[in-house]
Each structure stands twice: as C-alpha cells, then as structure tokens.
Amino acid sequence: MRTLWTGRDIAAPASTLWDLLTDLDAWARWGPSVRSATLVGSGTLRSGARGTVTTALGVSLPFEVTAWDPPWRWAWRVAGIGATDHVVSEVHAGSCNVRFGVPFVAAPYLAVCRVALGRLESMALES
C-alpha cells in the first residue's frame, strides 16, 4: 500500500523526540486526535504491544504495534487498520527530522500529523 509522508526538522536531539513518540502519557499532548492511550497488561511500547487509544471524540479503539525499530521507527494498526508510521532520524548532533506516514486512503489525516509535528517541536524545545 502506498504511504504518504509529512515531516519537520526539529532542533532537538533525536532521543528526545523518540521518547515523546513512545511515551503513551505524552500522546494526548502532541496528538490532536488522541485523548489517552493505555497498554494491555504491564510493560512498555514494543513490537506486538497491544492497547487502547481513546480518540479526541471519546471513542476507544484497540491498537497493536506492527513495526518497532528503536530509536528510529514504529508503526501501528488501530482498530485493525494500518495507521500512522512514526520515524525519527538524526540530522546532526542536537537536531533531527520527524516524519509521519499514513496510508494513501488516509491522506487528509496528514493535516492532523502536521499539527502534531508542531506540538512535538514545542514540547521538545521545552525539555
């Protein structure tokens, strides 16, 4: 399936952005479509991890992490549908590029991803 991407260079270490992207408690702060997220059982986000994400509209949906390549990339399925791919790449020491990929059929969601990138940048610069 074809993936569409949006990204942004951020003047913060890649490790800072990876931490924000993988911290479920932070998702609601940077993700406009997320109210909260929890994992099933205990543990951390990793390949095969399952949980529930509650949307900004209050709808709770199951998720599963389908790709996990720390500290650079993770992807997931939400409600059984391929969703966002998250990629962090170091540009140089203290600076990185963060990209979100979405399936072609979800192209309008790139606008939400752009808002998320701005929020991630603000959060990273506050750190």
Side-chain angles (χ1 to χ4, degrees):
M1 179 180 293
R2 185 168 171 216
T3 301
L4 301 176
W5 294 89
T6 188
R8 175 184 288 219
D9 287 343
I10 299 176
S15 61
T16 298
L17 275 300
W18 177 257
D19 290 347
L20 289 170
L21 289 172
T22 58
D23 177 358
L24 273 69
D25 292 332
W27 288 3
R29 291 181 50 216
W30 60 260
S33 61
V34 176
R35 181 181 292 174
S36 65
T38 58
L39 288 174
V40 172
S42 60
T44 60
L45 205 61
R46 65 188 185 291
S47 182
R50 294 175 185 266
T52 301
V53 61
T54 302
T55 69
L57 299 175
V59 177
S60 293
L61 302 168
F63 74 81
E64 178 183 5
V65 176
T66 56
W68 185 256
D69 186 20
W72 310 112
R73 175 181 179 255
W74 74 273
W76 64 341
R77 293 175 66 84
V78 177
I81 299 169
T84 317
D85 202 330
H86 311 75
V87 177
V88 179
S89 50
E90 187 171 41
V91 175
H92 54 75
S95 182
C96 65
N97 180 271
V98 179
R99 295 185 305 141
F100 292 124
V102 301
F104 180 77
V105 297
Y109 192 70
L110 287 174
V112 173
C113 292
R114 287 184 195 100
V115 172
L117 287 166
R119 290 180 179 182
L120 278 165
E121 181 173 35
S122 294
M123 290 171 69
L125 296 177
E126 290 172 4
S127 305

